[in-house]
Amino acid sequence: MDGGEAGFPFSAVVGQEQLQLALILCAVHPGIGGVLVRGEKGTAKSTVVRALARLLPPVVDESGARPARLVELPVGATEDRVVGSLDLERVLRDGEQAFRPGLLAAAHHGVLYVDEVNLLHDHLVDVLLDAAAMGRVHIERDGVSHSHPARFVLVGTMNPEEGELRPQLLDRFGLTVDVTASRDVDVRMAVVRRRLDYEADPNGFAASYLPADAEIADRILTARDRLPGVALDDVELRRIAAVCASFDVDGMRADLVVARTATAHAAWCGRGAVTAADVRVAAELALPHRRRRDPFDEPGITPEQLDDAMSDADEQADGRQDPASGDDAPGSGGGPDGPDDGPDGPGGGADVPGDDTATSENSGTPGGTGQTSAPVAAPVRPPRWEVPGVGEGAPGRRSRAQTRQGRVVNTIPEPTGGLHLLGTLRAAAPHQRARGRHTGPLVLAPGDLRGAHREGREGNLVLFVVDTSGSMAARDRLSAVTGAVVALLRDAYQRRDKVAVISVRGSEAELVLPPTSSIDIAVRRLTGLRTGGKTPLATGLRKAREVVYRERVRDPHRRPMLVLLTDGRATGGTDPVPRARAAAAQLARDGVTSVVVDCEHGMIRLGLAADLATALRGAVVRLTELTGASVAEVVRAGASGGGARAA
């Protein structure tokens, strides 16, 4: 142990055996590709990860032996900080090109830990996963060509309530573990007791578990040495292929990860060959998250499903069943049957091109688990529309924005968004003779510094105000409205938007879904919206303004978009129609982009929804002209005064 307060011991953690095993297997075989740890707050995710780093073998480099490092990657890190960049100090001081390593190099032979990995920009997650899978980092940028080893245990932790990773990125994590607080009273008592004992005497508590931690560290080192000699025969390889095929996972990454994990588990257990028990453990860790192709699908495999898959694989391993038939496979006709939504950026999970509008006709009962999915809108390929102007919001895939990771469009005098090297050199070059330089490094002045102006994409806040009053309660219209909400939720998931829903009925406006990026929460909250009663539209619009105001305080750069689904028949309060128009006009003055979906029906049309759209200075479209998917298209086009443009 280093000086100072000792960390919580790995062997002292209670109730997280599956997580501990997944981390150990990745320590034995880093080629597995890392562990994604999903779970609620307060489940010791970070504690276990930090404890693992202290068990890894020492690293021997040019400076001698040193402990393996735990390198933490902050959510706001830039790509230069992660992969490395040109060493500007040596370029400007000595006039020679040199490379400055990043966090991936620092994590070599250690642990790279990314807390809240679901909030990390997608392209950085791709970079991490590529390095974890290949064991090397390749940099080709800014005139630098460099490659260095980076073999590390990648661990990402996340709280699903704060938003999900795309299915493509989920697939690229080797293993996934869902952690929850135990409901067993004895386990909970043990957790609290050990934590209190640690807080009372950290060094003494750690010393009491030192022999157990040392034993685990020795087993990891022994398993690493044993790993190359572990045999994976054709019987077990066929079992692995059969299990992966039965769950209908895409591509071959799952088969490779299960094979590597099973081999690592055999080495950890001291066996010289992979057995069926090793394959089962590997499948339980490597397959659940790969079944999630659509954002509305819940990841997971039940023990019963795994039992059935292993039983069928036993028959195939013994040659008693044609693996191509798959009639009794738990995934036949049961896994999420829609096509994968394809690579959504560099290094996406699928190997073939695809649309980023995922469909899943039979995803309501994946594998017979009884899971439910939201209704699926008809597939369309609409053009991508964007909110006018250039924002500064959170990274996403909808509207243009000034970002730290986007493409460089020009240089600016202030290097607040990162130094633009070539722009700085160009600014300094004309003044070298006047500054007395004849040979040697460039002579720079503060005014030479140039920054990079980058543009990328941002996510928006899409706020539904849904009229669920008595005039809207007809089944066909309510179904169309529900389809619109679901279609936009799927689109928002892919565009990295936040979504909120306000239900308007009776005498109140209820925020049924506070702003969230979590599809799981959104689906749960949107089931069973209540209908009936009057239509207090003015109250609903004022509630929308409150939500927008609160979000602007919390996240001032995320631009809002209001989607109002109503027939416009405001019937709640005194002078309901003028009050609704006044509330709409206030939102327009606040600069909120709006779209009104006119749900009015019947022979006589009053045009009230169109009047509201005018007050909102927004677009209007009739619900009867739209499917749920094309409502999402209208929202993509929705901009103040029709000012949206196609990308």
Side-chain angles (χ1 to χ4, degrees):
M1 290 288 179
D2 295 332
E5 184 176 295
F8 198 89
F10 188 86
S11 57
V13 175
V14 180
Q16 299 297 354
E17 290 80 9
Q18 190 178 45
L19 171 57
Q20 290 172 295
L21 178 60
L23 293 172
I24 286 171
L25 295 181
C26 283
V28 172
H29 193 339
I32 289 172
V35 184
L36 176 64
V37 188
R38 297 161 39 95
E40 58 201 19
K41 298 179 290 290
T43 49
K45 301 188 297 291
S46 299
T47 299
V48 180
V49 174
R50 291 186 171 91
L52 172 72
R54 294 189 291 272
L55 303 183
L56 298 182
V59 178
V60 179
D61 54 24
E62 62 275 7
S63 60
R66 60 168 177 81
R69 295 192 184 105
L70 171 70
V71 176
E72 298 191 43
L73 191 151
V75 171
T78 63
E79 186 172 356
D80 287 347
R81 182 74 182 96
V82 174
V83 301
S85 63
L86 199 64
D87 191 330
L88 294 178
E89 182 179 351
R90 292 182 61 182
V91 170
L92 299 176
R93 182 191 65 202
D94 304 328
E96 65 180 51
Q97 182 172 296
F99 179 74
R100 174 176 292 173
L103 294 175
L104 296 182
H108 187 44
H109 290 311
V111 177
L112 182 64
Y113 175 44
V114 188
D115 194 16
E116 297 181 320
V117 65
N118 51 321
L119 304 182
L120 193 66
H121 197 282
D122 287 351
H123 86 279
L124 286 182
V125 179
D126 281 327
V127 168
L128 301 182
L129 293 168
D130 281 338
M134 296 186 298
R136 293 193 69 84
V137 178
H138 300 279
I139 301 97
E140 298 284 346
R141 55 182 301 182
D142 296 333
V144 175
S145 178
H146 185 78
S147 176
H148 63 77
R151 293 184 61 83
F152 51 82
V153 180
L154 174 63
V155 185
T157 58
M158 59 174 282
N159 183 348
E161 293 184 358
E162 297 171 345
E164 288 283 358
L165 280 170
R166 298 197 331 267
Q168 296 92 335
L169 294 179
L170 275 176
D171 174 65
R172 301 197 61 209
F173 269 97
L175 311 178
T176 298
V177 178
D178 286 302
V179 296
T180 58
S182 175
R183 299 299 181 259
D184 184 281
V185 173
D186 291 334
V187 173
R188 296 176 76 94
M189 287 177 59
V191 170
V192 174
R193 174 58 60 198
R194 291 192 183 184
R195 187 67 201 184
L196 292 176
D197 289 346
Y198 169 75
E199 292 174 356
D201 182 9
N203 293 319
F205 183 85
S208 67
Y209 284 91
L210 193 58
D213 271 10
E215 181 181 354
I216 295 174
D218 288 343
R219 284 189 64 187
I220 290 174
L221 190 58
T222 302
R224 282 186 174 184
D225 294 338
R226 183 183 290 118
L227 183 66
V230 174
L232 175 62
D233 60 30
D234 286 348
V235 171
E236 298 308 324
L237 188 57
R238 178 177 291 274
R239 191 190 311 278
I240 291 170
V243 169
C244 293
S246 71
F247 285 115
D248 198 25
V249 296
D250 289 328
M252 296 301 299
R253 184 176 287 119
D255 303 62
L256 289 169
V257 172
V258 172
R260 290 167 182 159
T261 306
T263 304
H265 189 261
W268 169 250
C269 294
R271 289 189 284 270
V274 172
T275 67
D278 301 315
V279 174
R280 181 189 175 90
V281 169
E284 191 173 9
L285 293 170
L287 296 184
H289 61 294
R290 291 187 163 83
R291 304 190 66 204
R292 186 176 195 176
R293 302 184 193 172
D294 188 272
F296 294 100
D297 295 335
E298 288 281 353
I301 293 176
T302 66
E304 294 75 16
Q305 286 179 292
L306 190 54
D307 288 340
D308 291 343
M310 290 295 294
S311 177
D312 290 343
D314 285 340
E315 296 179 5
Q316 294 187 23
D318 294 339
R320 288 177 287 168
Q321 180 179 328
D322 180 6
S325 66
D327 293 337
D328 297 325
S332 59
D337 292 333
D340 185 84
D341 61 352
D344 214 350
D351 293 326
V352 295
D355 181 20
D356 64 1
T357 301
T359 60
S360 180
E361 295 178 358
N362 299 324
S363 60
T365 56
T369 63
Q371 300 168 353
T372 59
S373 292
V376 177
V380 293
R381 297 180 64 89
R384 185 180 69 202
W385 296 83
E386 60 189 40
V387 175
V390 179
E392 299 178 2
R397 305 192 65 242
R398 182 178 297 280
S399 304
R400 291 173 60 207
Q402 182 176 341
T403 66
R404 293 178 62 86
Q405 290 87 19
R407 63 187 180 91
V408 177
V409 294
N410 55 42
T411 61
I412 55 177
E414 300 84 11
T416 54
L419 186 67
H420 191 281
L421 176 61
L422 296 180
T424 299
L425 296 180
R426 282 196 295 265
H431 307 291
Q432 295 306 297
R433 178 171 296 180
R435 293 172 185 171
R437 175 183 177 268
H438 300 286
T439 60
L442 263 67
V443 179
L444 293 180
D448 297 332
L449 299 180
R450 295 292 184 271
H453 178 84
R454 300 176 182 270
E455 277 195 10
R457 293 278 167 178
E458 68 175 2
N460 298 112
L461 169 64
V462 182
L463 174 58
F464 275 119
V465 176
V466 184
D467 181 353
T468 57
S469 62
S471 64
M472 291 282 294
R475 176 175 297 180
D476 56 345
R477 278 182 297 146
L478 190 59
S479 175
V481 169
T482 302
V485 175
V486 169
L488 185 61
L489 275 174
R490 180 174 282 105
D491 184 70
Y493 171 83
Q494 293 160 350
R495 303 293 179 197
R496 314 302 277 176
D497 294 323
K498 278 188 171 182
V499 175
V501 178
I502 294 174
S503 172
V504 178
R505 62 177 293 276
S507 61
E508 62 180 11
E510 180 185 2
L511 181 61
V512 295
L513 178 67
T516 181
S517 299
S518 172
I519 295 300
D520 296 336
I521 294 178
V523 173
R524 290 197 298 267
R525 296 286 180 85
L526 288 172
T527 57
L529 284 178
R530 296 181 298 164
T531 61
K534 295 184 178 182
T535 315
L537 275 181
T539 304
L541 293 173
R542 286 196 295 269
K543 172 71 77 172
R545 187 167 180 244
E546 292 175 9
V547 173
V548 169
Y549 174 77
R550 288 199 300 268
E551 277 300 297
R552 278 178 170 168
V553 171
R554 181 182 296 112
D555 188 355
H557 298 302
R558 189 180 289 270
R559 295 187 287 172
M561 179 184 291
L562 173 71
V563 183
L564 173 62
L565 297 99
T566 182
D567 57 11
R569 300 189 181 190
T571 58
T574 306
D575 298 327
V577 174
R579 289 165 65 89
R581 289 174 181 162
Q586 184 61 60
L587 281 165
R589 287 193 293 271
D590 291 344
V592 177
T593 296
S594 300
V595 175
V596 176
V597 180
D598 184 357
C599 303
E600 189 175 21
H601 72 296
M603 296 294 293
I604 301 176
R605 301 184 59 83
L606 303 178
L608 299 176
D611 290 344
L612 280 175
T614 300
L616 286 163
R617 303 176 197 166
V620 62
V621 63
R622 292 178 60 178
L623 181 65
T624 53
E625 302 169 358
L626 305 173
T627 64
S630 55
V631 168
E633 178 182 354
V634 169
V635 173
R636 279 192 286 272
S640 180
R645 64 181 181 85

